[in-house]
Amino acid sequence: MEQQRSGIPSFEARGELSLELVHATEAAALACAGFLGKGDPERVSRAAAAAMRAALERSSLTGTIALSPRHQTDLPQGLVIGDGERRVDLGAYALEGASQVARGHINSTAALVAAEPGSFPRLPAVGHVEKFVAGPASRGAIDLDDSIADNLRRIAFANDVRVQDLTVAILERPRHQELITEVAATGARIRTLEEGDFASAVMAALPGTGIDAAIGVGDIHAALIAACAVRCLGGEFVARLMPRNDQEKSLVAEGAPAVYGLADLAPAGDVDVAVAGVCGGPLLPGITFGSGFAETSSLVMSSRYGTVRRLTTRHGATGLAASR
């Protein structure tokens, strides 16, 4: 009651929410890491979702799932988790890259985003968006109505490098073959990824990953979750809806924006993000196991505080048992 009388928002009064979210992403990462290379991606995905949900139930939050990639059925949109005092809307990606974990490959992450209730954008309910993501120096340099070559020239100019010095991340999908050919024609390097729609966008906005841009068509909820991280990192993110059929086309209202910028894709208020690495990759190291312990590597971000932290956490036997 004192907080309400003084007009201090709960987010402000209680510090960085990202430091609480990271417990849930670590739990998801730890729960599925034991299945590394053992096959059965569905089991891996279910283990991650169950662990994230259990960690949120133990938290001080009451969270409503507002964003959830369409294949993530264990954490559906509208699900309310927990019974804490702090109410938030959540963007949950308990595990990106379940097949990567199952096959023992790289580039799998667990991600969680929180914002004040009702603050996530409400875009038409289409399944896919075309996205183009780059780092902070490239703000204002991307135009989806322009050619790939001209966009990469502007990004290169903004970063004081040549186009040939850029590395562009693209998911390895049949729908991206023409795009890959177009990027190759510019002279830029290409990093093709089996999985990592969310991770590739964050890598493009985060210095030191070796990725300068991420482009392609992917899941709309993964894109919106990624946009929250890119906002915290100060990067650039533009997207365009890609209706797949007449039913989805009918959902796009006449006069709707042709292209959405970061201000349209990420919450206008405070947003907090936590990401944990599972099996390693350019974004984050994977989990390492020792005698009776495991170590996780995470990114935690807050738009309000302008913080981006890298955390290495050692989990003893008690923490490992809680994640199972």
Side-chain angles (χ1 to χ4, degrees):
M1 295 298 293
E2 185 62 33
Q3 290 175 10
Q4 293 176 359
R5 286 197 297 270
S6 63
I8 301 173
S10 60
F11 274 42
E12 181 177 343
R14 301 187 183 186
E16 291 187 48
L17 183 58
S18 57
L19 296 173
E20 181 155 11
L21 300 180
V22 75
H23 295 296
T25 52
E26 288 173 345
L30 288 167
C32 63
F35 301 114
L36 182 66
K38 298 179 181 178
D40 199 351
E42 289 188 10
R43 186 181 181 190
V44 174
S45 184
R46 288 196 301 270
M52 177 173 282
R53 181 169 179 168
L56 288 169
E57 291 281 6
R58 296 190 298 267
S59 74
S60 65
L61 306 175
T62 296
T64 301
I65 303 294
L67 299 175
S68 180
R70 64 189 183 282
H71 61 273
Q72 184 178 253
T73 57
D74 294 317
L75 288 171
Q77 275 186 274
L79 176 68
V80 178
I81 307 175
D83 190 27
E85 294 182 6
R86 186 185 298 189
R87 294 187 175 274
V88 296
D89 280 355
L90 298 170
Y93 208 161
L95 181 66
E96 179 179 55
S99 63
Q100 299 297 92
V101 177
R103 290 181 292 154
H105 290 189
I106 67 168
N107 215 37
S108 181
T109 59
L112 189 61
V113 174
E116 297 179 48
S119 61
F120 280 115
R122 298 185 181 276
L123 272 61
V126 304
H128 286 90
V129 294
E130 176 189 7
K131 73 176 188 302
F132 202 133
V133 190
S138 302
R139 294 293 298 269
I142 301 172
D143 183 351
L144 284 185
D145 293 324
D146 212 342
S147 68
I148 292 292
D150 284 342
N151 276 298
L152 291 180
R153 287 191 197 101
R154 287 193 294 270
I155 290 172
F157 180 80
N159 288 274
D160 196 26
V161 298
R162 303 171 302 164
V163 172
Q164 296 94 314
D165 298 321
L166 299 177
T167 300
V168 180
I170 307 173
L171 290 191
E172 196 171 10
R173 300 286 187 272
R175 63 178 178 263
H176 290 153
Q177 288 308 306
E178 184 176 338
L179 178 60
I180 290 171
T181 300
E182 194 172 351
V183 173
T186 70
R189 294 183 291 266
I190 300 171
R191 172 71 71 90
T192 54
L193 304 172
E194 291 186 355
E195 300 289 344
D197 207 18
F198 167 83
S200 63
V202 180
M203 286 190 286
L206 183 67
T209 64
I211 302 298
D212 302 291
I215 56 179
V217 176
D219 180 88
I220 188 171
H221 282 204
L224 291 172
I225 294 170
C228 294
V230 172
R231 179 188 163 194
C232 291
L233 293 165
E236 178 68 304
F237 196 125
V238 295
R240 176 161 46 205
L241 299 176
M242 298 292 287
R244 295 167 294 176
N245 48 48
D246 289 340
Q247 181 180 0
E248 288 194 347
K249 288 178 182 177
S250 69
L251 298 174
V252 182
E254 186 175 343
V259 175
Y260 294 87
L262 197 54
D264 307 306
L265 300 169
D270 300 338
V271 60
D272 290 81
V273 183
V275 188
V278 179
C279 48
L283 179 59
L284 283 165
I287 297 172
T288 58
F289 290 90
S291 178
F293 72 90
E295 284 191 353
T296 56
S297 296
S298 304
L299 281 171
V300 291
M301 299 170 257
S302 167
S303 67
R304 172 168 182 76
Y305 293 95
T307 54
V308 179
R309 292 186 172 94
R310 289 186 178 271
L311 300 181
T312 300
T313 307
R314 175 168 289 201
H315 305 263
T318 302
L320 290 173
S323 68
R324 295 189 178 118

